[in-house]
Amino acid sequence: MEKVTLPERPGWREEAEGLGFTFADMHGEPYWDETSAYAFSLREIEDDIEDPSTELHAMCREAAAAITASEELMGKLGIPEPHRDLVAESWRRQEPEIYGRFDLAYDGLGSAKMLEYNADTPTSLYESASFQWLWFEQQVEAGILHRRSDQFNGIHEALVERFRTAFQSGTDIHFAAAAETPEDYATVECMGWAAREAGLGAHYTDLETIGLSTDGQFLDGEDRVIGTLFKLYPWEDLLRDDYATRLAAAGCLMLEPAWKAVLSNKGLLPVLWQMFEGHPNLLPAFFEADISEAAADQGASASFAGEAFERAAEAFRSGYVRKPLFSREGASLSIIRDGETLEASSNQAYAAHPMIVQAYHPLPVFDGFRPVVGAWIVGETCVGMGMREDRSRITQDLSRFKPHFIQE
């Protein structure tokens, strides 16, 4: 793994604008940055990112089964009590999942470490699946990259196949996002392209235009009944808004399904550590409340946390990250070392939520930037990746997207 300086493609910004990639620059700073790229060997991709991410997803599915069967764990993950049956039944029915993205710390030297799983509403899909591939093809054609180089990117093709196998031909799917957010719109458009290619009907609808019929079905802005809805709207919010009480009776298949609420949740991290303690791709993680209870020697879960925390003490001596159960784009995170805050998010919008703690694993530094690998899961398999980097230790909403390639 290395970071390689490369020439930018002439006129790429105009091309991006023409393709609808209107957020390539944001707030006077580059978001898409092709002045350099990350280069990997095929072994690094296959052995350190692709295979471990597929295994991590299988582990997450085991965790989903355990969580949805446990009132205690559902409570710890902040799933509202009135809707726990909805989440559990979604898992029992094995409602289809489409995609997710692991955020991994990786330096090319040791095992990739799972930082979190964006299993419900991950963005940066267009950049990863489409614009990054266009960059690669054009750089090969220009002779900048060798013709025997490659890119780990089968995301679009995998999405097409996933839609084709999960739904009958001709099925109509509504794709909803907040229209005023260009990145969200690009994500649902990317999904819609794949659905159409798979022979499905794909209709875009603004989240704010979704309503209810007199018999409780969801309707789009043209009063069409929504039978299947891909919503770029997180379950932790949906389960707490006015529509939540209507979900069970609406007869609408939701994508991602309700059971993904237990995976796109930082509470997944301590559950995984309890189930798979010592796994090379996991970092020790605990519910903060359990550690507090362990100090007071209360309860079975506190007892486990105390013993396991002692086993993980060496990892925590290097520092830990304090994360709320629900958080987006690095908000409300803080990195603690020796009792002092090493770094904290400026956005504290999620600070009131219950916290987990995860052993701190420093990101590598390349030319002053710290990259995070986004490993894309479609169905149950890792099929591609995207790179984000930031000068900060905490990857945030304006962190840069960097292309990657596999060296020949």
Side-chain angles (χ1 to χ4, degrees):
M1 177 183 179
E2 60 179 325
K3 188 175 180 180
V4 181
T5 300
L6 296 172
E8 296 182 81
R9 294 165 295 156
W12 74 261
R13 280 184 171 81
E14 292 75 16
E15 184 173 26
E17 185 77 20
L19 291 170
F21 187 13
T22 58
F23 51 99
D25 292 297
M26 291 190 287
H27 306 291
E29 290 286 331
Y31 167 64
W32 170 272
D33 180 6
E34 60 179 67
T35 59
S36 57
Y38 285 91
F40 296 82
S41 70
L42 182 60
R43 187 211 62 77
E44 288 173 329
I45 294 293
E46 292 181 340
D47 296 349
D48 295 348
I49 295 171
E50 181 180 11
D51 290 347
S53 296
T54 297
E55 181 181 358
L56 282 170
H57 181 72
M59 292 159 56
C60 287
R61 288 182 59 87
E62 289 189 49
I67 295 166
T68 54
S70 167
E71 281 289 320
E72 180 187 8
L73 287 176
M74 292 270 248
K76 283 187 171 184
L77 268 68
I79 306 300
E81 194 278 334
H83 306 303
R84 290 175 192 169
D85 286 345
L86 174 77
V87 174
E89 185 60 28
S90 171
W91 172 257
R92 284 193 290 268
R93 288 198 300 264
Q94 284 296 286
E95 290 181 344
E97 58 181 315
I98 304 299
Y99 80 142
R101 191 194 71 233
F102 284 107
D103 287 346
L104 307 174
Y106 180 67
D107 60 6
L109 301 175
S111 299
K113 300 294 185 182
M114 176 185 170
L115 302 176
E116 59 188 63
Y117 191 17
N118 302 282
D120 181 18
T121 57
T123 53
S124 76
L125 180 64
Y126 173 76
E127 305 92 290
S128 299
S130 183
F131 202 73
Q132 180 180 218
W133 182 252
L134 177 65
W135 167 87
F136 174 74
E137 288 187 315
Q138 291 181 348
Q139 292 292 55
V140 169
E141 187 62 30
I144 304 300
L145 297 179
H146 198 284
R147 289 194 176 275
R148 289 199 296 271
S149 59
D150 202 352
Q151 187 178 89
F152 181 34
N153 192 353
I155 303 169
H156 175 74
E157 294 80 5
L159 284 171
V160 173
E161 184 60 24
R162 181 60 180 156
F163 279 119
R164 184 177 288 128
T165 57
F167 300 96
Q168 291 185 344
S169 179
T171 299
D172 280 336
I173 301 178
H174 281 74
F175 292 86
E180 72 277 6
T181 308
E183 185 178 7
D184 288 4
Y185 181 77
T187 296
V188 296
E189 274 292 282
C190 208
M191 299 291 280
W193 295 340
R196 293 184 194 100
E197 194 171 326
L200 309 180
H203 312 287
Y204 172 77
T205 187
D206 187 350
L207 277 168
E208 294 185 0
T209 68
I210 295 176
L212 285 169
S213 69
T214 55
D215 59 358
Q217 292 181 296
F218 292 131
L219 302 174
D220 68 11
E222 299 177 28
D223 289 336
R224 294 175 295 192
V225 172
I226 302 174
T228 302
L229 176 63
F230 174 89
K231 84 287 176 294
L232 207 68
Y233 185 57
W235 274 108
E236 66 261 26
D237 292 338
L238 181 54
L239 292 178
R240 288 167 173 80
D241 73 15
D242 293 339
Y243 278 100
T245 58
R246 307 284 190 157
L247 289 168
C252 180
L253 176 64
M254 306 295 281
L255 304 175
E256 294 295 299
W259 63 264
K260 280 292 195 81
V262 305
L263 298 190
S264 190
N265 181 313
K266 306 302 187 297
L268 170 69
L269 300 171
V271 174
L272 284 174
W273 186 252
Q274 182 170 352
M275 294 177 68
F276 305 101
E277 183 178 342
H279 190 282
N281 298 116
L282 295 178
L283 293 168
F286 302 89
F287 292 100
E288 189 174 64
D290 281 354
I291 296 174
S292 299
E293 289 177 9
D297 195 26
Q298 298 174 6
S301 62
S303 176
F304 163 79
E307 295 168 3
F309 191 75
E310 286 182 14
R311 292 193 294 271
E314 185 62 34
F316 273 77
R317 268 192 282 273
S318 299
Y320 64 90
V321 184
R322 191 169 180 262
K323 301 180 177 183
L325 292 181
F326 312 117
S327 174
R328 302 277 158 169
E329 299 173 331
S332 303
L333 269 64
S334 56
I335 302 172
I336 315 295
R337 180 188 288 165
D338 296 329
E340 302 289 334
T341 299
L342 188 62
E343 194 159 337
S345 310
S346 57
N347 181 352
Q348 291 293 310
Y350 299 90
H353 290 294
M355 296 283 174
I356 67 103
V357 292
Q358 182 185 48
Y360 176 50
H361 185 83
L363 298 173
V365 180
F366 291 84
D367 192 29
F369 286 86
R370 296 173 169 86
V372 167
V373 173
W376 287 95
I377 302 292
V378 174
E380 298 183 28
T381 306
C382 183
V383 297
M385 71 185 215
M387 302 287 296
R388 299 285 301 279
E389 68 172 17
D390 203 300
R391 292 184 178 90
S392 168
R393 292 177 175 85
I394 300 172
T395 307
Q396 303 168 72
D397 58 339
L398 298 181
S399 299
R400 299 182 181 191
F401 189 100
K402 302 291 292 187
H404 80 275
F405 66 99
I406 303 171
Q407 299 187 89
E408 56 87 20

